[in-house]
Amino acid sequence: MRIYIRHMRKAITAQDFDLAGRIGIAAYRVANANERRVLETYLGPNAARRAGLAPSP
């Protein structure tokens, strides 16, 4: 999971927020509960819905 976060940080530093979001969503789909909490700090509270893992309201 560290490698995903490292690449997300690089993309954010390069101001490529679309890439950072795509990396984060891909990582979120395979992450366990603890890793998902870390990813939610970058992706926001709607990360599960963006990853297609939660129903839309």
Side-chain angles (χ1 to χ4, degrees):
M1 191 54 55
R2 286 187 217 166
I3 193 149
Y4 290 114
I5 292 172
R6 184 179 320 133
H7 285 291
M8 282 177 59
R9 286 181 180 164
K10 285 182 182 181
I12 290 168
T13 301
Q15 306 247 332
D16 190 350
F17 302 113
D18 184 53
L19 177 61
R22 285 185 284 142
I23 293 168
I25 294 303
Y28 194 88
R29 289 181 178 137
V30 297
N32 65 32
N34 291 331
E35 294 165 339
R36 285 182 175 180
R37 279 196 295 267
V38 172
L39 287 168
E40 285 170 356
T41 63
Y42 291 97
L43 300 172
N46 294 321
R49 187 174 55 202
R50 290 176 57 198
L53 301 174
S56 297

